[in-house]
Amino acid sequence: MRTFLFLLLALVSAWTMADEPQLPNNISKAHELALTVLTESGSKLFTDRSESLTALPHDVQQFLASLPSAWDESHLLSGPTDQPVVMARRSGKTWYIAGINGSNEEQKLPLSNAIPNLQSSIKNHGDIVLFGDRSERAFFVSLLEDFPMEMNCRPRGGFVLVVHPKNDPLTMNMPLFQTKYTADPSPLVVGDTLFLYTSHDASPEDIPDPNERSSAGFFMYDWLLWSTTDMVNWTEHGAVASLKDFPWRSRDNGAWAIQTVERGGKYYLYAPLHGHGIGVLVSDSPYGPFKDPLGEPLVWQREHWNDIDPSVFTDSDGQAYMYWGNPHCYYARLNDDMISLKDSIVQLPHIPNYQEGPWFYKREGHYYLAFASTCCPEALGYAMSDSPTGPWEWKNYIMTPTQRDRGNHPGICDYKGHSYVFGQDYDLMHLDTYVHHERRTVSCAEITYNADGTIQQIPYWLNQKPLEQLEWLNPYKRVEAETMAWGNGLKTAKMGIQNTGVVKDMPTSTGRRNMYVFDLNDGEFIRLRGVDFGKGAKRFSINAAGTGSAQITLRLDNQDGPTIGTLQIAGTGSADNYQSFTTKVKKAKGIHDLYICFGKTQGDVHLDYWKFSGQSPK
Ligand code: FUB
């Protein structure tokens, strides 16, 4: 075994030949990568060769950086006397299974599942990442839904499978919203409130053509609004605008990344209609209703991709700029009316790693252009300048590319003394499937600026602590049912609007409307973080309607935590006939997470808002 490992180590030292089509001994790159797991020394090899490490593809750098320096368990599944060599190793809850094919023939490498720990991890895996061979030059990185029982390995090839444990969404920094798939976050602070405009990836059932429901592409018809005052409990406001607000559009799909900005008490929503330029809508309120003042695109260079992802910022001298574009980045100055261009469009010289999704802003005298970096996977990068029109200097990644994500899109703001970056991922969809679809979700992380204005890099969303709550939630005032920190499986809609999410049923911008939560199923719950019950609540009441029924159990701190009250919602005769249901509450004192848990659900129940009564928190 020792001689064998020595031989493997010698082969690993060929790593710096990464750009050569033929590696020494003719081994593949995935074979080389597998050696870093098999020999336990891969990560150490690079400590004094940082330039070789940084020359590697990002996925490989990340893989090597995350490789444990010691293992809790190691099992040789096959070899070394009889080729091939396959080894399974565990560090904490993560398994690494690596195999190499040392022969000159293609081989099927067995992945024995005889190890009980490994077997249960495979059953409960959160995701599995494969590093295998696609060609001499590339590492193929893929997320697999099912664990393969054997790997096809080309001559002198190899593989590594990393089996990650299942995420516990309640302890991880998961996406902010669960009732809809969201993307392209655009924050706007108005007074005490942080508003977040997002685009909206249709759920399969909302895609009009049944033949397209399993398609991986973009199905985007309207734009959504969310708000918070504490960063962890968010209130949904539904669709604020849709493609229908632009009667001149040429397609019924393509409601891509918007940004809404405020100027002089008016709200301007800049919206790309993919394939038909960028339009603008105006409102007197952040909730809308928004109207199209132009009746035509604000910008359209008559090319399918160029005119997407507008980002608008008004400088302290009153001059507003709009940046946009993929794969080129453009800008134009806006007139004071915010709905016309002052002069012609300028295409920026290429900024390294720029792909799309510019987010243009100024902070403490520095101009920033954050963006989604070269696809795929996309990460979040940024450039800085001393002037609003550049020249722009690439600075770094805010978040490096990772095989866990494919697309990204930054939105950045300061709020209540903290700085935040919003972006997007597929982590909610990954709770159901790893088969790729454009069903994205918006996540957020706190960022820190250095004294020179540069931004400290942050790890991937799931790899950081959940956001800190900025203020406790007051349960003694009306709380909308659609206010939640987590509500996976639930649905929401605006009252009185039959918006199925499809253009044909979609209203033009409706402005602020009451919303309700529906589609309650046994085992689902609404989680509210950091609820301040003060000296103790005495009663809970909830406004609900519907022809169905449901039991509500109120629990503290956990979905199985102590029960503080239960109540039954019985049919009110119709989905519009809201009635108040109330129950006594015991032992709800101080600050707790609140879980409104659903059971014995039958038929249609709609929830409007809830409230505790009794002792005030102060
Ligand atoms: O959401 C549609 C497109 O995907 C956006 O316009 C891009 O930034 C990317 O997020």
Side-chain angles (χ1 to χ4, degrees), residues 132-211:
D133 292 312
R134 186 162 52 186
S135 71
E136 280 290 353
R137 289 188 165 271
F139 287 104
F140 179 47
V141 179
S142 157
L143 293 165
L144 301 178
E145 190 168 40
D146 296 316
F147 187 80
M149 281 300 118
E150 52 188 17
M151 291 290 300
N152 256 346
C153 221
R154 68 181 187 74
R156 319 221 25 112
F159 71 90
V160 181
L161 285 168
V162 186
V163 183
H164 290 288
K166 208 174 211 131
N167 298 326
D168 174 1
L170 300 177
T171 57
M172 315 266 306
N173 188 43
M174 284 294 281
L176 302 175
F177 318 122
Q178 302 81 44
T179 52
K180 298 195 174 63
Y181 290 112
T182 51
D184 307 321
S186 157
L188 174 69
V189 177
V190 181
D192 188 38
T193 303
L194 173 54
F195 289 96
L196 193 72
Y197 296 83
T198 68
S199 47
H200 177 191
D201 288 331
S203 295
E205 64 274 16
D206 291 336
I207 297 172
D209 180 351
N211 298 321

Side-chain angles (χ1 to χ4, degrees), residues 229-282:
T229 55
D230 66 14
M231 289 308 292
V232 301
N233 297 302
W234 289 82
T235 302
E236 181 174 351
H237 302 286
V240 283
S242 79
L243 291 172
K244 273 219 173 135
D245 291 300
F246 299 100
W248 45 265
R249 77 190 182 280
S250 53
R251 298 175 64 222
D252 275 351
N253 185 359
W256 282 20
I258 55 169
Q259 183 173 0
T260 305
V261 299
E262 186 271 343
R263 183 165 187 174
K266 290 209 179 292
Y267 296 84
Y268 298 88
L269 186 159
Y270 297 88
L273 284 76
H274 185 222
H276 204 151
I278 296 171
V280 58
L281 300 174
V282 188

Side-chain angles (χ1 to χ4, degrees), residues 41-362:
S41 48
S43 52
K44 289 179 208 140
L45 272 177
F46 288 94
T47 48
D48 55 347
R49 294 163 64 198
S50 50
E51 63 307 333
S52 322
L53 182 63
T54 47
L56 295 171
H58 283 291
D59 286 324
V60 176
Q61 285 184 46
Q62 280 203 329
F63 168 77
L64 290 169
S66 69
L67 206 56
S69 52
W71 300 98
D72 297 325
E73 243 179 291
S74 296
H75 303 268
L76 198 58
L77 304 184
S78 124
T81 45
D82 51 338
Q83 295 285 357
V85 180
V86 182
M87 195 179 256
R89 318 194 96 153
R90 181 178 65 80
S91 168
K93 291 185 172 169
T94 304
W95 280 91
Y96 294 73
I97 305 170
I100 53 169
N101 175 9
S103 78
N104 290 324
E105 309 291 326
E106 176 153 337
Q107 293 210 43
K108 286 191 191 309
L109 273 57
L111 305 175
S112 158
N113 59 2
I115 304 156
N117 277 353
L118 173 58
Q119 238 173 345
S120 62
S121 300
I122 291 167
K123 271 200 207 118
N124 296 311
H125 71 82
D127 62 40
I128 299 178
V129 181
L130 162 67
F131 297 81
D133 292 312
R134 186 162 52 186
S135 71
E136 280 290 353
R137 289 188 165 271
F139 287 104
F140 179 47
V141 179
S142 157
L143 293 165
L144 301 178
E145 190 168 40
D146 296 316
F147 187 80
M149 281 300 118
E150 52 188 17
M151 291 290 300
N152 256 346
C153 221
R154 68 181 187 74
R156 319 221 25 112
F159 71 90
V160 181
L161 285 168
V162 186
V163 183
H164 290 288
K166 208 174 211 131
N167 298 326
D168 174 1
L170 300 177
T171 57
M172 315 266 306
N173 188 43
M174 284 294 281
L176 302 175
F177 318 122
Q178 302 81 44
T179 52
K180 298 195 174 63
Y181 290 112
T182 51
D184 307 321
S186 157
L188 174 69
V189 177
V190 181
D192 188 38
T193 303
L194 173 54
F195 289 96
L196 193 72
Y197 296 83
T198 68
S199 47
H200 177 191
D201 288 331
S203 295
E205 64 274 16
D206 291 336
I207 297 172
D209 180 351
N211 298 321
E212 291 189 317
R213 288 188 183 151
S214 55
S215 154
F218 292 106
F219 295 92
M220 304 174 73
Y221 313 110
D222 57 6
W223 295 281
L224 308 175
L225 178 63
W226 314 77
S227 71
T228 187
T229 55
D230 66 14
M231 289 308 292
V232 301
N233 297 302
W234 289 82
T235 302
E236 181 174 351
H237 302 286
V240 283
S242 79
L243 291 172
K244 273 219 173 135
D245 291 300
F246 299 100
W248 45 265
R249 77 190 182 280
S250 53
R251 298 175 64 222
D252 275 351
N253 185 359
W256 282 20
I258 55 169
Q259 183 173 0
T260 305
V261 299
E262 186 271 343
R263 183 165 187 174
K266 290 209 179 292
Y267 296 84
Y268 298 88
L269 186 159
Y270 297 88
L273 284 76
H274 185 222
H276 204 151
I278 296 171
V280 58
L281 300 174
V282 188
S283 173
D284 294 329
S285 153
Y287 302 96
F290 287 94
K291 294 265 176 271
D292 176 5
L294 297 178
E296 60 180 0
L298 168 64
V299 158
W300 187 26
Q301 300 178 84
R302 290 184 163 65
E303 194 279 340
H304 202 66
W305 277 99
N306 286 348
D307 300 326
I308 64 165
D309 298 351
S311 177
V312 172
F313 172 75
T314 306
D315 208 348
S316 36
D317 62 2
Q319 178 60 59
Y321 301 82
M322 182 165 85
Y323 275 81
W324 74 95
N326 172 355
H328 305 295
C329 188
Y330 305 92
Y331 78 84
R333 295 195 300 167
L334 297 177
N335 285 318
D336 289 350
D337 64 9
M338 300 294 273
I339 58 169
S340 58
L341 303 190
K342 194 172 207 167
D343 32 39
S344 51
I345 296 170
V346 180
Q347 182 180 323
L348 291 188
H350 180 66
I351 301 170
N353 302 316
Y354 177 86
Q355 179 74 54
E356 60 179 4
W359 184 261
F360 173 51
Y361 68 104
K362 184 183 187 182

